[in-house]
Amino acid sequence: MTDEPNKVPAQAAAPTADAAPAPSAEAAAPSALPQDELARLTDDIIAALKTVYDPEIPSDIYELGLIYKIDVADDRAVAIEMTLTTPNCPSAQELPTMVENAVASVPGVGQVKVDIVWDPPWDPSRMSDEARAVLNMW
Protein backbone atom coordinates (compact mmCIF):
# COMPACT_ATOMS: atom_id res chain seq x y z
CA MET A 1 0.00 0.00 0.00
CA THR A 2 0.97 3.61 -0.25
CA ASP A 3 0.33 6.86 1.54
CA GLU A 4 -1.00 8.47 -1.64
CA PRO A 5 -4.82 8.73 -1.28
CA ASN A 6 -5.71 7.70 -4.85
CA LYS A 7 -3.01 5.09 -5.41
CA VAL A 8 -4.88 1.98 -6.58
CA PRO A 9 -2.98 -1.24 -5.99
CA ALA A 10 -3.58 -3.91 -8.60
CA GLN A 11 -6.62 -5.98 -7.76
CA ALA A 12 -7.99 -3.44 -5.27
CA ALA A 13 -10.77 -0.91 -5.39
CA ALA A 14 -9.88 2.76 -5.54
CA PRO A 15 -10.17 4.36 -2.11
CA THR A 16 -12.23 7.44 -1.59
CA ALA A 17 -10.71 10.42 0.15
CA ASP A 18 -12.19 9.40 3.50
CA ALA A 19 -12.72 5.66 3.17
CA ALA A 20 -10.37 2.76 3.78
CA PRO A 21 -9.28 0.84 0.69
CA ALA A 22 -11.17 -2.35 -0.11
CA PRO A 23 -9.43 -5.61 0.77
CA SER A 24 -7.16 -6.84 -1.96
CA ALA A 25 -8.03 -10.00 -3.87
CA GLU A 26 -4.29 -10.55 -3.81
CA ALA A 27 -4.51 -11.47 -0.11
CA ALA A 28 -6.74 -14.45 -0.92
CA ALA A 29 -4.79 -15.68 -3.94
CA PRO A 30 -1.24 -14.47 -4.54
CA SER A 31 -0.42 -13.33 -8.05
CA ALA A 32 1.81 -15.41 -10.26
CA LEU A 33 3.42 -12.12 -11.33
CA PRO A 34 6.43 -11.11 -9.22
CA GLN A 35 5.46 -8.40 -6.71
CA ASP A 36 7.88 -5.85 -8.19
CA GLU A 37 6.50 -6.45 -11.69
CA LEU A 38 2.92 -6.11 -10.45
CA ALA A 39 3.86 -2.86 -8.70
CA ARG A 40 5.55 -1.54 -11.88
CA LEU A 41 2.54 -2.42 -14.02
CA THR A 42 0.17 -0.82 -11.52
CA ASP A 43 2.22 2.39 -11.39
CA ASP A 44 2.42 2.53 -15.19
CA ILE A 45 -1.31 1.87 -15.56
CA ILE A 46 -2.11 4.68 -13.13
CA ALA A 47 0.25 7.00 -15.00
CA ALA A 48 -1.56 6.10 -18.24
CA LEU A 49 -4.96 6.74 -16.63
CA LYS A 50 -3.75 10.17 -15.54
CA THR A 51 -3.37 11.10 -19.23
CA VAL A 52 -7.12 10.67 -19.82
CA TYR A 53 -9.24 13.77 -19.27
CA ASP A 54 -12.97 14.21 -19.39
CA PRO A 55 -13.30 16.73 -22.27
CA GLU A 56 -15.57 18.92 -20.12
CA ILE A 57 -13.51 18.86 -16.89
CA PRO A 58 -9.89 20.09 -16.63
CA SER A 59 -8.79 17.22 -14.36
CA ASP A 60 -7.80 13.66 -15.23
CA ILE A 61 -10.23 10.82 -14.60
CA TYR A 62 -8.03 9.18 -11.98
CA GLU A 63 -7.84 12.28 -9.79
CA LEU A 64 -11.58 12.84 -10.31
CA GLY A 65 -12.14 9.46 -8.65
CA LEU A 66 -13.78 7.86 -11.68
CA ILE A 67 -11.58 4.73 -11.51
CA TYR A 68 -13.05 2.28 -9.01
CA LYS A 69 -10.98 -0.85 -9.63
CA ILE A 70 -7.88 -2.00 -11.49
CA ASP A 71 -7.40 -5.76 -11.72
CA VAL A 72 -4.21 -7.17 -13.24
CA ALA A 73 -4.54 -10.90 -13.97
CA ASP A 74 -1.68 -13.39 -14.04
CA ASP A 75 -1.71 -13.26 -17.86
CA ARG A 76 -1.36 -9.44 -17.63
CA ALA A 77 -4.91 -8.83 -18.80
CA VAL A 78 -6.27 -5.70 -17.15
CA ALA A 79 -9.87 -5.17 -16.10
CA ILE A 80 -10.91 -1.64 -15.16
CA GLU A 81 -14.12 -0.67 -13.41
CA MET A 82 -14.91 3.00 -13.76
CA THR A 83 -17.84 5.31 -13.49
CA LEU A 84 -18.85 8.65 -14.93
CA THR A 85 -19.83 11.83 -13.14
CA THR A 86 -23.43 11.32 -14.27
CA PRO A 87 -25.33 8.72 -16.35
CA ASN A 88 -26.06 11.54 -18.79
CA CYS A 89 -22.36 12.34 -19.28
CA PRO A 90 -21.83 13.56 -22.87
CA SER A 91 -18.49 11.68 -22.93
CA ALA A 92 -20.05 8.31 -21.99
CA GLN A 93 -19.22 6.82 -25.38
CA GLU A 94 -15.65 8.07 -25.72
CA LEU A 95 -14.18 7.89 -22.19
CA PRO A 96 -14.15 4.06 -21.88
CA THR A 97 -12.39 3.80 -25.24
CA MET A 98 -9.88 6.47 -24.19
CA VAL A 99 -9.20 4.52 -20.97
CA GLU A 100 -8.82 1.24 -22.86
CA ASN A 101 -6.37 2.79 -25.34
CA ALA A 102 -4.32 4.49 -22.62
CA VAL A 103 -3.96 1.31 -20.55
CA ALA A 104 -3.29 -0.85 -23.63
CA SER A 105 -0.33 1.43 -24.46
CA VAL A 106 1.47 0.41 -21.24
CA PRO A 107 4.35 -1.99 -22.01
CA GLY A 108 3.67 -5.46 -20.63
CA VAL A 109 -0.12 -5.09 -20.44
CA GLY A 110 -2.22 -7.76 -22.15
CA GLN A 111 -5.87 -7.48 -23.11
CA VAL A 112 -7.73 -4.53 -21.57
CA LYS A 113 -11.41 -4.54 -20.61
CA VAL A 114 -13.21 -1.44 -19.31
CA ASP A 115 -16.58 -1.67 -17.61
CA ILE A 116 -18.77 1.27 -16.61
CA VAL A 117 -20.40 0.78 -13.21
CA TRP A 118 -22.94 2.96 -11.43
CA ASP A 119 -22.70 1.53 -7.94
CA PRO A 120 -21.60 3.31 -5.91
CA PRO A 121 -22.61 6.50 -7.68
CA TRP A 122 -19.88 9.08 -8.18
CA ASP A 123 -19.95 12.22 -6.08
CA PRO A 124 -17.42 15.03 -5.55
CA SER A 125 -16.09 13.45 -2.32
CA ARG A 126 -14.27 10.92 -4.53
CA MET A 127 -12.01 13.62 -5.99
CA SER A 128 -8.42 13.91 -4.82
CA ASP A 129 -7.11 17.13 -3.32
CA GLU A 130 -5.28 17.69 -6.62
CA ALA A 131 -8.57 17.60 -8.56
CA ARG A 132 -10.24 19.86 -6.01
CA ALA A 133 -7.43 22.39 -6.40
CA VAL A 134 -7.64 22.33 -10.20
CA LEU A 135 -11.41 22.76 -10.09
CA ASN A 136 -11.32 25.25 -7.19
CA MET A 137 -13.75 23.09 -5.20
CA TRP A 138 -12.76 23.60 -1.56
Side-chain angles (χ1 to χ4, degrees), residues 44-45 47-52 61 78 80 82 93-107 109-114:
D44 290 352
I45 290 167
L49 290 170
K50 287 183 169 210
T51 68
V52 179
I61 61 165
V78 177
I80 306 266
M82 68 174 289
Q93 295 299 315
E94 63 189 303
L95 274 177
T97 302
M98 293 166 65
V99 168
E100 183 178 341
N101 291 339
V103 174
S105 73
V106 173
V109 165
Q111 183 178 0
V112 178
K113 182 178 184 228
V114 178

